[in-house]
Amino acid sequence: MVKKNVCLVVLGDIGRSPRMQYHAQSLIRLGFDVDIVGYTDSPVLDDLKENATIISIRKPFPFDKYVPQIIAFLLKVVWQTLTLFWSILVKHRSDIVLVQNPPAIPTLAVCWFYCLITNAKFVIDWHNYAYSILALNLGYNTPLVKLSIFYEHFFGRLSDFNLCVTKAMKEDLYENWDIKASTLYDRPGPQFKTITLTEKHNLLKRINLNDFTKVSESGEVRLKSDRPGLLVSKYEESDDIYPKLICVITGRGPLKCHYQQMILKLKLKKVSIITPWLENKDYPLLLACADLGVCLHASSSGLDLPMKVIDMYGVGLPVCAYDFACLDELVQHDKNGLVFTNENELALHIMTWFKNFPLQISEKQSKFRKEIDKFRAVDWHTNWMNNVFPIFSNNDK
């Protein structure tokens, strides 16, 4: 096979785009030259720093501070069009361009035009629909959303190959837009794995969570018999038959300070909430320490799946996830996890799971972990080789 150059385009933060980073890892593993174009706000995976060429795009000027919203949007699109096209044009020629969608505007048009003038393959990885995200704020009947639908449809049909994240999205692409796609389910990266009790102890001590483990006189690490439950994400207060619960909410979004102030006003007797910012290497370790994960992802299209659940399953962590149209392609209620549709169901699941913890562990935990182990048996690269490699190994358009 002739060595090819593949350009991965993320009009967003590369470090917060795990699926595209995993694409890069698999391509590098097979000897492809890989360029990754996008914003570099967060660190990328260590091996990509060494083996891929990271091309940083300059972020847009904050036009919305100075001009009306619609004008700011147009100026932002012009800025992104010029900076993105220049970034992929000045590097060495790519044989294949794999673009993450969304965002669609102007990514799809710019990447398609580059492929047209260089005779490269144009591949779209559909994570969701850009227009559905836009419609959350504007509504489906607004001119901008209608334009976005037309745009996404038009350039989507100009692609040479398409990938998507669920079977439901594959069917929707074909039925509504006559676009044929291959489903590539997400799988956890190699950093998401089960860890030893000693590794848990070291991480929890480092982030000042001292209630979970102890070291015996012989130097053996043990779980404390009166340890609290560790929940990654949301919480609910409970009655005396329930243990203390520590809820860890990770991230550093723009509303973090707002929610921290709200948390300070809560009067909780048995719940402690912490909001640490973790290094990349510590996030998988924290998930592996938890007793239950909660996922609040609500899909704008109803056709994508939450990456956080993939991460949690990677470390063998049972999950309670918000239910939507195609969630059962990943989480099946009472088989490999729990699902909820409102706050009352979520509270009931959490209280049932942690009732009399840790003296009594939920009887569902062992059942769920066996199913999760089946999921973990197929890793990202194996799945990628079966579903994606033929696209990159084919010399013909």
Side-chain angles (χ1 to χ4, degrees):
M1 183 183 70
V2 178
K3 192 172 184 179
K4 297 179 181 178
N5 177 269
V6 180
C7 179
L8 307 183
V9 177
V10 180
L11 199 59
D13 186 2
I14 300 171
R16 296 169 67 88
S17 303
R19 182 176 169 98
M20 298 302 283
Q21 292 188 82
Y22 298 160
H23 276 301
Q25 286 181 316
S26 289
L27 289 163
I28 291 168
R29 186 170 172 178
L30 294 175
F32 290 85
D33 288 326
V34 175
D35 301 315
I36 310 177
V37 179
Y39 301 134
T40 52
D41 300 333
S42 305
V44 300
L45 298 174
D46 289 341
D47 59 334
L48 298 186
K49 296 177 185 177
E50 301 173 2
N51 300 303
T53 301
I54 309 296
I55 302 170
S56 180
I57 306 175
R58 188 173 179 181
K59 299 198 77 170
F61 182 80
F63 297 107
D64 55 338
K65 292 183 178 180
Y66 305 99
V67 297
Q69 185 177 17
I70 186 63
I71 297 176
F73 174 78
L74 294 173
L75 291 174
K76 179 182 177 181
V77 169
V78 172
W79 177 290
Q80 290 180 321
T81 299
L82 295 175
T83 54
L84 176 58
F85 185 63
W86 179 255
S87 297
I88 62 177
L89 185 64
V90 297
K91 65 173 182 54
H92 51 270
R93 179 185 173 277
S94 297
D95 300 294
I96 302 170
V97 175
L98 173 61
V99 56
Q100 172 184 295
N101 185 73
I105 301 173
T107 324
L108 297 185
V110 171
C111 292
W112 167 79
F113 184 66
Y114 172 85
C115 292
L116 178 68
I117 63 177
T118 61
N119 197 35
K121 287 182 182 177
F122 178 38
V123 184
I124 302 175
D125 190 0
W126 299 81
H127 297 200
N128 200 347
Y129 292 139
Y131 76 82
S132 69
I133 298 174
L134 194 61
L136 289 177
N137 293 323
L138 302 179
Y140 281 94
N141 292 322
T142 57
L144 189 57
V145 172
K146 291 181 178 179
L147 176 62
S148 179
I149 293 173
F150 172 80
Y151 171 95
E152 212 166 354
H153 178 201
F154 180 81
F155 285 103
R157 294 193 62 185
L158 295 177
S159 60
D160 295 298
F161 298 100
N162 294 274
L163 303 170
C164 61
V165 294
T166 61
K167 289 181 179 178
M169 181 170 283
K170 175 182 177 178
E171 294 170 359
D172 190 79
L173 282 166
Y174 183 71
E175 291 175 2
N176 294 317
W177 288 354
D178 196 28
I179 294 174
K180 294 181 180 180
S182 298
T183 300
L184 175 68
Y185 283 121
D186 281 310
R187 285 294 187 273
Q191 69 274 32
F192 293 95
K193 57 187 178 182
T194 57
I195 61 176
T196 66
L197 190 54
T198 299
E199 289 174 305
K200 293 181 181 181
H201 173 77
N202 293 337
L203 182 277
L204 293 170
K205 288 292 183 183
R206 194 162 72 248
I207 61 175
N208 297 317
L209 290 178
N210 302 311
D211 300 330
F212 298 89
T213 58
K214 62 182 179 179
V215 180
S216 66
E217 293 181 359
S218 63
E220 181 184 3
V221 177
R222 297 176 181 173
L223 291 170
K224 291 184 178 181
S225 60
D226 59 346
R227 68 186 184 277
L230 183 57
L231 176 74
V232 181
S233 197
K234 194 173 168 60
Y235 69 92
E236 286 289 342
E237 196 171 3
S238 52
D239 297 326
D240 287 343
I241 60 172
Y242 298 98
K244 180 181 178 184
L245 187 64
I246 293 184
C247 174
V248 180
I249 304 174
T250 65
R252 61 172 183 184
L255 294 178
K256 181 175 181 178
C257 290
H258 168 72
Y259 287 112
Q260 285 176 325
Q261 293 302 314
M262 291 180 62
I263 289 169
L264 290 174
K265 296 177 181 178
L266 297 175
K267 297 179 180 180
L268 304 173
K269 296 178 181 179
K270 293 198 171 189
V271 177
S272 298
I273 304 174
I274 62 173
T275 57
W277 171 246
L278 301 171
E279 298 293 333
N280 278 357
K281 61 184 177 62
D282 287 338
Y283 174 63
L285 299 178
L286 179 64
L287 291 185
C289 293
D291 299 297
L292 180 67
V294 172
C295 176
L296 304 175
H297 174 88
S299 171
S300 61
S301 66
L303 300 172
D304 68 318
L305 293 173
M307 196 67 196
K308 290 296 182 288
V309 172
I310 306 292
D311 297 343
M312 291 173 182
Y313 278 0
V315 302
L317 177 65
V319 173
C320 184
Y322 179 76
D323 195 16
F324 59 89
C326 69
L327 182 69
D328 61 353
E329 291 190 37
L330 179 61
V331 182
Q332 294 90 42
H333 184 64
D334 267 345
K335 180 178 179 181
N336 66 352
L338 300 167
V339 301
F340 64 93
T341 57
N342 56 55
E343 65 273 18
N344 293 328
E345 290 181 3
L346 173 60
L348 180 60
H349 289 327
I350 293 175
M351 289 189 293
T352 303
W353 188 268
F354 286 105
K355 185 177 181 179
N356 296 324
F357 180 91
L359 298 177
Q360 181 181 340
I361 304 298
S362 172
E363 60 184 19
K364 294 180 180 180
Q365 185 173 117
S366 177
K367 173 186 174 182
F368 289 176
R369 288 189 186 276
K370 288 179 181 179
E371 292 297 322
I372 293 170
D373 285 342
K374 294 178 183 178
F375 174 86
R376 296 172 60 234
V378 181
D379 63 12
W380 165 271
H381 188 68
T382 301
N383 195 39
W384 188 92
M385 287 294 295
N386 291 335
N387 294 282
V388 181
F389 177 64
I391 292 174
F392 293 97
S393 61
N394 182 8
N395 288 316
D396 300 321
K397 288 197 73 172

